[in-house]
Amino acid sequence: MCVAVLLSLPYRASAIVGRSVDGAKWQSQVVMVLSRSGKQAGFCSGVVLTRTIVLTAAHCVSNASDTRVYLPGQPLIPLRRIARHPGFHADAPRTRSRSIDLALIETAEALPGEYTAPAVADRLRYELGTKFEIAGFGVAREDDAKTSGTLRAGQVTLRAPLSSVLLWLEEPQHETGACTGDSGAPVFTEDGKLAAIVAFAEGSGSRLCGKLTQAVLIAPQRGWIERVIAGWR
């Protein structure tokens, strides 16, 4: 399940299914990304790279004119432009094909001064059992949009298979993981570095979340990120 969410406007509530905590320590680094279609709006999460550039999931954005950055309690911020990773394939969840689900968005005005970029991890691979933390604005309960809109964080652990593209993350005891609205959410290492961006979630049985969170590794894509940013300057 690509974990974007459709609703009219975000409500303030919990996020991250399973066991989660207040995500206040990440609030200067994580934003919401809204994409409108007609009278509906979908939102994801995103991480600040500069005061005008946010990294999110490619499936979260369409045209710059239909996308906004939202900071809780503040007016929507319009975009100047969007760049999707050339390796992104929108049908990847259905076809189970490889996809680099990343997008960079540039805001038309700078984010407030308190928003800062996290350090970016340079590791290309991690050992099984490595712990990470997801921070996003998504729902705390499946199919309940009212439980979205407040930044929450949850701890997950790297499971097999090991990949040079994705992190496969889980926390089976409490079924913690990303859910609707957490696409584009950052995945942090234990020392607070940005390691990956959430792209996909899966649940057990009829559930859609709580079993698996997939996230795109950042380190292998730093060249693309740096080239796009350099071209925008």
Side-chain angles (χ1 to χ4, degrees):
M1 181 190 68
C2 291
V3 281
V5 63
L6 285 177
L7 59 153
S8 55
L9 281 175
Y11 293 84
R12 289 190 62 80
S14 301
I16 304 288
V17 296
R19 174 176 287 182
S20 64
V21 297
D22 187 282
K25 70 177 180 179
W26 307 116
Q27 66 185 3
S28 66
Q29 299 173 342
V30 187
V31 301
M32 298 174 70
V33 178
L34 280 72
S35 182
R36 289 192 174 275
S37 177
K39 294 182 179 181
Q40 291 186 313
F43 85 82
C44 293
S45 303
V47 63
V48 175
L49 295 187
T50 75
R51 286 185 61 204
T52 58
I53 296 175
V54 170
L55 180 64
T56 187
H59 74 262
C60 290
V61 296
S62 53
N63 300 315
S65 60
D66 295 324
T67 308
R68 298 288 187 271
V69 167
Y70 176 71
L71 311 177
Q74 300 191 38
L76 298 179
I77 300 174
L79 299 192
R80 179 169 287 128
R81 49 194 162 185
I82 292 172
R84 293 183 191 83
H85 194 286
F88 169 64
H89 302 288
D91 63 349
R94 179 180 58 81
T95 62
R96 298 291 182 177
S97 59
R98 170 173 165 159
S99 178
I100 312 299
D101 196 350
L102 296 177
L104 290 165
I105 61 179
E106 183 181 25
T107 57
E109 57 191 72
L111 303 180
E114 63 266 27
Y115 282 85
T116 59
V120 179
D122 57 7
R123 292 187 60 178
L124 298 176
R125 285 187 177 272
Y126 294 88
E127 296 179 359
L128 295 178
T130 301
K131 296 185 182 303
F132 295 90
E133 186 161 288
I134 302 169
F137 286 97
V139 299
R141 294 189 300 274
E142 287 186 27
D143 301 320
D144 188 352
K146 293 182 179 180
T147 65
S148 65
T150 291
L151 183 61
R152 303 284 292 177
Q155 292 192 343
V156 289
T157 301
L158 182 63
R159 52 161 264 194
L162 294 177
S163 166
S164 60
V165 176
L166 297 172
L167 296 179
W168 296 60
L169 305 167
E170 66 177 3
E171 201 287 287
Q173 182 178 358
H174 301 286
E175 298 186 317
T176 301
C179 199
T180 312
D182 290 320
S183 283
V187 178
F188 295 105
T189 61
E190 287 192 293
D191 59 355
K193 293 181 179 179
L194 175 64
I197 293 293
V198 171
F200 180 84
E202 183 177 86
S204 300
S206 62
R207 298 187 61 194
L208 299 176
C209 312
K211 177 182 177 183
L212 167 69
T213 299
Q214 285 184 340
V216 180
L217 277 165
I218 299 303
Q221 312 307 329
R222 287 191 70 168
W224 170 76
I225 292 169
E226 291 168 357
R227 286 192 298 273
V228 171
I229 293 175
W232 284 353
R233 287 175 177 164

